Amino acid sequence: MSTIPKKKLLTGPILQSAVKDSFMKLNPVTLMKNPVMFVVEIGTIVVLMMVLAPGYFHTEDSIGFNITVFLILLVTVLFANFAEALAEGRGKAQADTLKKTKQDISANKLVGGAVKIVSSSDLRKGDIVVISQGELIPGDGEVIEGLASVDESAITGESAPVIKEAGGDFNSVTGGTRVVSDQIKVRITSDPGESFLDRMISLVEGAKRQKTPNEIALNTLLISLTIIFLIVVVTLRPIAAYLNVDLEIPVLIALLVCLIPTTIGGLLSAIGIAGMDRVTQFNVLAMSGKAVEAAGDINTMILDKTGTITFGNRMASEFVPVGNENEAELAGWAAVSSLKDETPEGRSVIELIKKQGHPYQAVLAEEAEIIEFRAETRMSGLDLKDGRKVRKGAVDSMKRWVSSQGGQIPDNLDKRSNEIAGKGGTPLAVAVDDRIFGLIYLKDTVKPGMKERFDELRKMGIKTIMCTGDNPLTAATIAAEAGVDGFIAESTPENKIEVIRREQQEGKLVAMTGDGTNDAPALAQADVGLAMNSGTSAAKEAANMVDLDSDPSKIIEVVAIGKQLLMTRGALTTFSIANDIAKYFAIIPAMFTLAIPEMEVLNVMGLGSPSSAIISALIFNAIIIPLLIPLAMRGVSYKPMSSVKLLRRNIFIYGFGGVLVPFLGIKLIDMLVSIWI
Ligand SMILES: Nc1ncnc2c1ncn2[C@@H]1O[C@H](COP(=O)(O)OP(=O)(O)OP(=O)(O)O)[C@@H](O)[C@H]1O
Ligand SMILES: [K+]
Ligand SMILES: [Mg+2]
């Protein structure tokens, strides 16, 4: 995908430590986790013993051959170790940088009204701390008082400071970030060792990496194949002996190693780590490899309208009076209803009024009761001291509110609001008590390129559903413009969880994004829940991914990365197994020709000599691993298409390719080896 930033895979230090780690990983206790490679290691040790004690094993005649086999087998295991170490390298480097952020910070803890200086490592859940301009925030928490701009670049890499304030969805702060203006009071929400930074460090360095269900299943398949070939090879010896053919142990080990799926066995864990790393490089933290894989299997994606599909800076752009009302009076009341409304929508109303120069009575806000906007009521406004109630809000909610006070609904209200909604705008009705003055036209724009991205998702077989609190007409207009498959209008965050459950009951896997506390249950219910880093800690805890850039539309790319991970693993498994079949044709005839020269007719590949055939097959088997490392790390390239088409395409490329490549490769190596021997 072009949108996924391509960062340099290798740096000098990463490469160096990967080489060192390749040897460390030879430790059989570590290698046991990779059964295929473990079998190769045992074979290596057996051949080594024959090299070291040829007299005991009666292998004096073939010592040169055995040394060669030993070296190639050792290199095979090292190559596999190198692949894994390389994949781990970038995460480890990133973890080191993060650890530097995680120094001990002194904290101003509030104890009985007085400030006491303590170390950040002594802070516990529930402690209250005060952080002033220039100071580091000593732990994860929620702002309970004040407003400040915070530099979160240590964690997000984004240098522009973000506003954090008490109440609402932007109150969560992360330990290790810096307050650059003002002062805030924060309630600590995590105990030492359990902070976001701690989690992030252990995630990027892969300390807690667990095998995913898909990986476990594949591993079981690889183990089964290994056992089958082990039995085949072991029984081959008595059969051959019966035919008076003496098969040497190192030849049998070479055969075994060629037949078992070493390519995928060597690359499997690198593919998984690299997949998670690609997500991390994309500034998304996946809490587990399972989450990344689930992203690749998603059938349904639930997207917010505002901010995800549209830019989300819904701006008041026009005042539309209804009935017999006039624009100036409408604007005046729109202003009053927005004086204390800190949402972007509310602020944009005040800006429009200032721009248009309408007068309004700012004094009315004094001593008035603030009615904050809530997604449930879809209204905001003020209860004035003189008893009048000023509101603006979604048209249907406002109609109900006005009617309940016995008010009349102006005849042309629906017509005017439908005109706005028909253009994809959001109409907000403005009323004082039982009288509706008119509408505010909130404009929002669909982000460019949305239609193309949804087309891609559709080709991948993913259904998109847009959820919005807006009215059905606005929703339908934006849905059509953006090209989503379905939409739900006038939805509350609680509706989302119903949509998710319904889809899941049909056996679908569902992805969604969210940032608010009321999104948390749905984020937890979804198979892939992507929380915004700017969101509340409840949302971040419920989700299995966090986007450090707080860009909800990134879910689309995350799904693409997940798909790519699954495809890469599938493609390389196909390639590996197809490879092994080809090696069979190189090595079996050679083995028997060693004992019965008349078997030379089986040498379909026309290889130089039996021993050069075996050596060539082994060399090919080893070098294919590092040759495929770049593919394993980068992921196979892919175009969005249906799974059936994809499967056909991959079987063709990696299946047939997997059979052909070794024939050519082994033949070529054999030609070189024959010159050399
Ligand atoms: N500040 C506000 N004051 C009054 N009413 C508002 C305000 N902001 C939004 N509304 C109304 O409430 C409705 C719901 O808003 P909400 O933010 O919950 O959902 P939304 O942003 O439209 O949906 P989504 O974010 O999922 O696309 C809006 O469609 C609008 O009619
Ligand atoms: K193999
Ligand atoms: Mg919203």
Side-chain angles (χ1 to χ4, degrees):
M1 295 268 320
S2 55
T3 30
I4 297 164
K6 287 201 174 63
K7 292 196 189 163
K8 248 179 90 173
L9 283 180
L10 306 174
T11 62
I14 291 183
L15 214 57
Q16 264 171 29
S17 81
V19 171
K20 199 180 118 214
D21 284 353
S22 314
F23 286 93
M24 307 291 288
K25 285 173 188 276
L26 283 177
N27 181 351
V29 182
T30 328
L31 206 64
M32 211 126 68
K33 286 192 218 108
N34 185 343
V36 179
M37 278 302 145
F38 185 61
V39 167
V40 180
E41 182 167 56
I42 292 176
T44 315
I45 294 169
V46 171
V47 180
L48 175 66
M49 287 184 341
M50 295 184 160
V51 168
L52 294 180
Y56 182 81
F57 292 99
H58 310 292
T59 48
E60 295 95 337
D61 296 343
S62 42
I63 189 132
F65 177 81
N66 289 354
I67 290 178
T68 316
V69 171
F70 161 71
L71 288 175
I72 305 172
L73 292 183
L74 177 65
V75 167
T76 309
V77 183
L78 286 174
F79 279 162
N81 289 350
F82 180 69
E84 187 180 69
L86 205 56
E88 288 167 346
R90 199 154 51 166
K92 287 211 172 106
Q94 204 172 6
D96 289 341
T97 320
L98 285 173
K99 277 179 191 156
K100 287 187 196 123
T101 310
K102 210 179 108 52
Q103 347 129 326
D104 248 350
I105 303 168
S106 71
N108 310 318
K109 184 177 160 185
L110 273 187
V111 192
V115 169
K116 195 178 149 206
I117 310 251
V118 299
S119 159
S120 59
S121 54
D122 293 332
L123 291 176
R124 294 290 179 278
K125 248 185 221 166
D127 285 349
I128 311 282
V129 290
V130 182
I131 307 118
S132 309
Q133 183 170 342
E135 291 176 345
L136 284 169
I137 297 175
D140 296 355
E142 284 171 359
V143 182
I144 51 170
E145 210 182 288
L147 173 153
S149 56
V150 176
D151 173 6
E152 295 197 316
S153 59
I155 286 185
T156 62
E158 169 60 55
S159 55
V162 285
I163 302 288
K164 299 289 179 180
E165 57 186 325
D169 286 349
F170 299 99
N171 65 358
S172 84
V173 290
T174 311
T177 59
R178 191 181 293 277
V179 170
V180 288
S181 80
D182 306 286
Q183 190 187 58
I184 43 177
K185 210 180 259 183
V186 167
R187 184 191 301 114
I188 297 295
T189 52
S190 73
D191 285 333
E194 290 164 13
S195 71
F196 189 65
L197 203 56
D198 288 313
R199 268 202 291 168
M200 198 163 157
I201 290 169
S202 78
L203 275 173
V204 293
E205 76 180 353
K208 275 199 227 145
R209 202 184 100 84
Q210 283 170 339
K211 284 205 178 92
T212 66
N214 280 332
E215 256 179 294
I216 293 170
L218 186 53
N219 231 325
T220 313
L221 173 74
L222 298 186
I223 293 172
S224 315
L225 283 174
T226 306
I227 293 173
I228 290 171
F229 285 123
L230 196 62
I231 295 171
V232 168
V233 170
V234 167
T235 48
L236 211 54
R237 196 167 145 94
I239 294 173
Y242 179 78
L243 298 171
N244 271 330
V245 177
D246 187 22
L247 293 180
E248 305 261 355
I249 300 277
V251 172
L252 287 172
I253 290 176
L255 173 67
L256 175 67
V257 170
C258 282
L259 293 185
I260 61 177
T262 45
T263 315
I264 186 65
L267 294 171
L268 186 59
S269 95
I271 295 168
I273 297 167
M276 277 198 77
D277 184 56
R278 273 199 296 282
V279 176
T280 314
Q281 298 309 316
F282 199 47
N283 243 0
V284 171
L285 279 190
M287 297 307 159
S288 66
K290 197 174 154 192
V292 180
E293 276 184 4
D297 275 331
I298 286 304
N299 312 99
T300 306
M301 197 185 283
I302 297 180
L303 299 141
D304 280 337
K305 172 178 78 77
T306 312
T308 304
I309 293 174
T310 66
F311 279 109
N313 45 351
R314 272 192 300 215
M315 301 275 276
S317 66
E318 211 178 302
F319 294 108
V320 183
V322 294
N324 300 321
E325 308 297 345
N326 67 59
E327 192 179 339
E329 214 171 343
L330 163 65
W333 287 118
V336 173
S337 74
S338 304
L339 282 170
K340 296 286 174 189
D341 180 6
E342 288 302 323
T343 66
E345 289 86 353
R347 280 197 289 255
S348 80
V349 171
I350 303 290
E351 273 163 36
L352 179 65
I353 283 162
K354 287 190 177 149
K355 205 171 88 190
Q356 296 191 345
H358 292 294
Y360 61 94
Q361 289 177 276
V363 288
L364 289 180
E366 284 161 26
E367 290 182 57
E369 191 189 333
I370 301 168
I371 310 296
E372 270 184 43
F373 170 72
R374 287 197 302 132
E376 290 75 26
T377 60
R378 298 202 181 96
M379 294 192 280
S380 61
L382 295 175
D383 283 355
L384 303 185
K385 204 171 70 173
D386 60 17
R388 283 183 293 175
K389 295 180 196 307
V390 186
R391 293 287 187 281
K392 68 168 186 299
V395 176
D396 63 314
S397 311
M398 291 297 292
K399 273 160 66 175
R400 249 176 278 127
W401 186 73
V402 166
S403 303
S404 73
Q405 299 173 86
Q408 289 291 315
I409 308 298
D411 290 340
N412 63 348
L413 177 70
D414 282 342
K415 187 161 177 276
R416 292 280 171 268
S417 73
N418 286 347
E419 281 164 8
I420 294 171
K423 287 186 265 186
T426 302
L428 288 188
V430 179
V432 180
D433 296 330
D434 60 355
R435 180 171 164 196
I436 296 188
F437 285 87
L439 299 162
I440 306 170
Y441 176 2
L442 295 178
K443 240 189 201 160
D444 201 356
T445 331
V446 172
K447 291 181 187 169
M450 274 298 163
K451 198 153 196 131
E452 289 72 25
R453 290 163 107 184
F454 290 131
D455 281 345
E456 282 184 10
L457 288 174
R458 200 166 304 113
K459 281 190 204 138
M460 295 180 207
I462 296 169
K463 177 166 106 184
T464 48
I465 302 176
M466 181 185 90
C467 278
T468 175
D470 246 321
N471 67 79
L473 192 52
T474 307
T477 310
I478 297 284
E481 195 180 327
V484 288
D485 299 317
F487 68 88
I488 295 171
E490 287 168 357
S491 81
T492 59
E494 290 69 31
N495 281 154
K496 277 189 197 162
I497 202 162
E498 288 161 27
V499 181
I500 295 171
R501 287 224 179 94
R502 198 188 62 210
E503 293 288 318
Q504 284 173 334
Q505 270 158 14
E506 291 173 17
K508 309 258 173 72
L509 290 182
V510 185
M512 71 160 280
T513 57
D515 57 3
T517 300
N518 47 18
D519 285 330
L523 281 169
Q525 177 74 31
D527 301 283
V528 175
L530 177 64
M532 303 297 106
N533 189 44
S534 61
T536 60
S537 44
K540 282 193 260 183
E541 248 152 60
N544 52 13
M545 292 195 194
V546 176
D547 177 22
L548 298 176
D549 299 328
S550 305
D551 170 6
S553 61
K554 263 199 199 171
I555 186 87
I556 299 175
E557 273 83 23
V558 169
V559 166
I561 297 175
K563 276 246 185 290
Q564 203 186 23
L565 165 67
L566 295 181
M567 273 175 35
T568 305
R569 195 184 288 149
L572 290 182
T573 305
T574 312
F575 188 83
S576 176
I577 292 173
N579 249 241
D580 296 337
I581 296 170
K583 277 172 231 159
Y584 184 88
F585 286 99
I587 210 165
I588 293 270
M591 261 174 53
F592 282 91
T593 318
L594 265 185
I596 321 169
E598 295 77 28
M599 296 274 280
E600 176 63 26
V601 282
L602 285 179
N603 185 2
V604 283
M605 289 171 70
L607 299 176
S609 71
S611 47
S612 85
I614 294 167
I615 299 285
S616 306
L618 262 193
I619 292 180
F620 178 86
N621 189 62
I623 59 170
I624 195 73
I625 297 175
L627 286 181
L628 289 174
I629 290 179
L631 191 62
M633 302 262 285
R634 222 185 318 114
V636 300
S637 75
Y638 100 109
K639 291 192 195 80
M641 57 175 94
S642 75
S643 342
V644 178
K645 260 197 203 161
L646 209 73
L647 191 70
R648 233 185 281 144
R649 174 177 175 265
N650 281 346
I651 287 187
F652 185 78
I653 297 179
Y654 296 97
F656 288 117
V659 174
L660 273 186
V661 170
F663 274 109
L664 300 175
I666 293 172
K667 179 76 193 169
L668 196 71
I669 297 170
D670 179 72
M671 280 157 68
L672 297 174
V673 168
S674 301
I675 297 168
W676 180 58
I677 289 182

